[in-house]
Amino acid sequence: MAGLTVIPKARRQKVAARLLSQVLRDASKRAPGESIFSVINARSLASINLHLELGFVEAWRSARYAGIEFTGGEGVLLRHARPRVSEVDMCGDAVEFRFNV
């Protein structure tokens, strides 16, 4: 996904949250355990907050990422670590997760 923009009349209806959640579900099926990255303009606080609510963490800030230049501002690189199950204890309730970092 190269970008996600919700048209003004559909905002505040959790459209972006549903779309981004579906992207995370699909990505976890296609590449289990792999991290997902998102670059957002630092001025887009609503988008940053949504990503943080869905489990992303801030990884880096810069005026330029992969050819994208944030004129007059900076971009925020966010990372969502997908857990990879490395061991399940079938006799008990314990499940160990290993996170790729």
Side-chain angles (χ1 to χ4, degrees):
M1 185 170 81
L4 174 61
T5 303
V6 177
I7 60 173
K9 70 179 183 178
R11 292 182 184 155
R12 308 277 183 246
Q13 298 176 37
K14 301 196 180 282
V15 172
R18 290 194 308 264
L19 290 170
L20 187 53
S21 293
Q22 186 62 49
V23 168
L24 292 173
R25 283 191 296 273
D26 289 349
S28 69
K29 290 177 187 174
R30 293 174 189 251
E34 296 299 321
S35 293
I36 299 166
F37 293 90
S38 186
V39 178
I40 303 167
N41 190 311
R43 294 180 188 164
S44 184
L45 297 179
S47 181
I48 291 171
N49 288 334
L50 170 61
H51 281 74
L52 295 175
E53 288 172 14
L54 293 176
F56 284 81
V57 294
E58 186 173 324
W60 195 261
R61 285 182 180 246
S62 179
R64 183 182 181 117
Y65 286 109
I68 303 168
E69 190 166 336
F70 297 92
T71 306
E74 64 183 351
V76 180
L77 178 65
L78 298 167
R79 178 179 166 272
H80 191 279
R82 304 299 302 171
R84 178 179 296 168
V85 176
S86 60
E87 180 178 315
V88 177
D89 178 2
M90 299 305 283
C91 299
D93 295 329
V95 177
E96 176 187 337
F97 291 98
R98 180 178 302 145
F99 291 87
N100 297 337
V101 289

